[in-house]
Amino acid sequence: MYAFILRRLLCLVPLLLAISFLAFCLTAASPSDPAEVALRVNDITPTPEVIEKTRQELGLDRPFFERYLAWLGKALQGDLGTSFVTHRPVARELARALPSTLALACVATLVVLGVGIPCAIVCFVREGRLADILVRALIFLGAATPTFWAGLLFIWLFAVHLNLLPTGGLEGASSFILPACTLALPSLATYTRLLRAGMLATGQQDFVLYARAQGRSPLAILLQIVRNSLQSTLAALGMTLPKLLAGTFVVECIFAWPGLGRLCVTAIFNRDLPVIQAYVVLMGLFFVLFNLFMEVAGALVDPRLSGRGSAGRKGKGRPDKSRPDTSMEDRA
Amino acid sequence: MSARGQLDMAWNVLKHNRPGMAALCFLAVVLAAGLLAPLIAPYDPLAVDMKARLASCSLEHLLGTDHLGRDLFSRLVYGARTSLGLALVIMLVTVSLGSLLGLAAGTFRGLFDSVLMRLTDMLLSFPSEVLVLALVGMAGPGMENAFAACVLARWPWYARMARSITLRFRDMNYVLYARVAGFSRTRILFRHIVPGAAGELSVLATLDCASVLLTISALSFLGLGVQPPVPEWGTMLGEARNVMILHPWQMLPPGLAILLVVAAFNFLGDALRDAFDPCFDPRGTTRRKA
């Protein structure tokens, strides 16, 4: 197991290098001159002399690869540059915004699990009846609703009309409810659908028939089915979490949430290139590490996977679009 | 079965799929409304009329007017052109670019193939939302940049898919037969492999249309995509947000429009998948009688 983790970690090094290179290229390929941008955001008229001076300060006069290596060296030591706007270290600004974004994503994950699993169980138990049809209709609606529209409707209904919850900001536990539910909505729909399909497929396997023949109680059989299906949807859940984190930028902007996504969107409006660059690197790092974590978790649940090494998830189609694993069995 | 036969069969299945056909018709109507907007819309979507601002629904203004007195129904109809049209064009460009590269990689292999695949590996290590945000962030807000970002963030999926389909088809008997018969590489590619790939690619592309529409309207909503005053459903929602306390109904038309079009694309995508893969049971499972 340790050898497996070590091998995967070593594979990450080139990928992380590539991500950092990509993030660096994005700024280098940006149509506007960073020196001019840095001056403009501070309301300094960019005369040729001042631009030349700023270019030297930012190190833009040096060759591309030298700049990349210098930037990478600093980034490895935790120095991601200085914001053009606030003139504070970017790393510190990100560190300040990171906890609230992670908290929001975690609460949203709990919503996905806490609502999704019971809904899937209801669908499974009452398959084809009213409850199942109702939940499936809601799933369909949830998958098609734009997040930002749902967020606005939630604000209008719960914060403005009923005056129950705060409209935005991060103050106390009640301010988590609306953003987390908004953020969870699309993933909730995807996950519930997958889990429902997984449970229906597990339900017709031989061990269930055997357990029924043994006369075991329906509840025990149901629990067994749920446990087996949760395992098979683990990978899908693993794809859900990065989507939640990536989706935070819309939700954070709607609910004035002091997190990474809003920091990045504000930076885009201000043309604050170092912050955008750092956001991209951080997100890339997070996703790569998270993929590794899910792979290890998958290998722990099913030891057969660790032997196959690099037979990862990459390029096999997106989880919400590919059909559940079970369809292969159906065809056989 | 030949690739062309597969397409014909898929169409026969799709014809009898009622939700799928309804979705297809709905999308066609919305697209037609967008294209014929000057004939349908009663007002100029950009005409400001400060005397009639924030009017409620009436025969004069079917959906009322916004904070600048612009007719919301006209803006909604013109918005179909921007939102749906943009999503369709983006997907067309993405699918063509991605699948051409993928087909080329699968056909010629070698160095080009490995470089392309490493590039897609790198791009796919980001979720598309972050990549789009990063690209728009670096290039600056605006419709052209949002367009380019969506294409750049999505083509790797199609490249990988087209490549794997090419690799799968090139060893099939009918392709081998065509090769033995002495047909040229390009002829085999376009007559035998492309039609076979079209099915799977179109399913993914249809579902992706929905997510591109959502991405574009989310960006426009935040002010990063289509810029006002161009009528776009996301931009309209962004404008409605400013007056939501006193005039909440303004949020409904653009939001519902996005919801319905996205739902239609999802329906159509599911229907296409059933059509191209008749063995796949839409219920996710075939229940065995216990």
Side-chain angles (χ1 to χ4, degrees), chain B residues 3 33 78 104 121 130 148 187 195 202 205 226 228 241 246 251 261 268 285 290:
Chain B
Y78 271 93
D121 272 348
V130 171
R187 190 194 152 104
S202 67
V226 179
R241 177 193 185 189
L246 292 175
M251 296 189 299
V261 169
L268 185 62
T285 171

Side-chain angles (χ1 to χ4, degrees), chain B residues 132-146:
Chain B
V132 168
L133 193 65
L135 291 165
V136 170
M138 293 304 171
M143 185 167 87
E144 296 80 12
N145 293 341

Side-chain angles (χ1 to χ4, degrees), chain A residues 57-89:
Chain A
E57 267 172 37
L58 294 173
L60 291 171
D61 48 348
R62 284 177 290 157
F64 178 79
F65 273 99
E66 200 184 317
R67 273 191 288 149
Y68 170 63
L69 288 179
W71 174 80
L72 186 66
K74 277 188 177 173
L76 285 176
Q77 294 162 29
D79 177 8
L80 290 165
T82 319
S83 159
F84 287 168
V85 180
T86 59
H87 298 291
R88 276 184 294 208

Side-chain angles (χ1 to χ4, degrees), chain A residues 3-178:
Chain A
F4 168 69
I5 297 176
L6 202 67
R7 203 165 59 227
R8 302 304 296 152
L9 270 176
L10 277 179
C11 290
L12 290 189
V13 176
L15 191 60
L16 285 177
L17 277 178
I19 288 173
S20 71
F21 188 67
L22 185 73
F24 189 79
C25 283
L26 282 174
T27 0
S30 167
S32 39
D33 180 3
E36 201 181 321
V37 171
L39 289 171
R40 278 196 194 283
V41 296
N42 291 309
D43 287 331
I44 302 171
T45 318
T47 58
E49 300 94 72
V50 192
I51 286 187
E52 198 47 47
K53 196 164 152 273
T54 321
R55 284 181 72 86
Q56 276 173 13
E57 267 172 37
L58 294 173
L60 291 171
D61 48 348
R62 284 177 290 157
F64 178 79
F65 273 99
E66 200 184 317
R67 273 191 288 149
Y68 170 63
L69 288 179
W71 174 80
L72 186 66
K74 277 188 177 173
L76 285 176
Q77 294 162 29
D79 177 8
L80 290 165
T82 319
S83 159
F84 287 168
V85 180
T86 59
H87 298 291
R88 276 184 294 208
V90 173
R92 204 182 301 160
E93 301 239 331
L94 287 183
R96 216 175 44 193
L98 185 64
S100 40
T101 293
L102 283 183
L104 183 61
C106 286
V107 176
T109 314
L110 289 182
V111 173
V112 170
L113 291 177
V115 181
I117 296 176
C119 279
I121 293 178
V122 167
C123 282
F124 174 68
V125 175
R126 315 279 301 170
E127 198 212 343
R129 314 263 188 88
L130 185 67
D132 180 35
I133 294 169
L134 208 65
V135 172
R136 279 168 64 196
L138 286 178
I139 288 173
F140 189 77
L141 213 61
T145 310
T147 333
F148 46 100
W149 191 51
L152 289 184
L153 292 182
F154 283 160
I155 290 182
W156 179 76
L157 182 62
F158 293 105
V160 178
H161 196 64
L162 299 173
N163 203 9
L164 287 175
L165 298 163
T167 52
L170 172 54
E171 288 154 13
S174 66
S175 60
F176 271 95
I177 300 175
L178 290 184

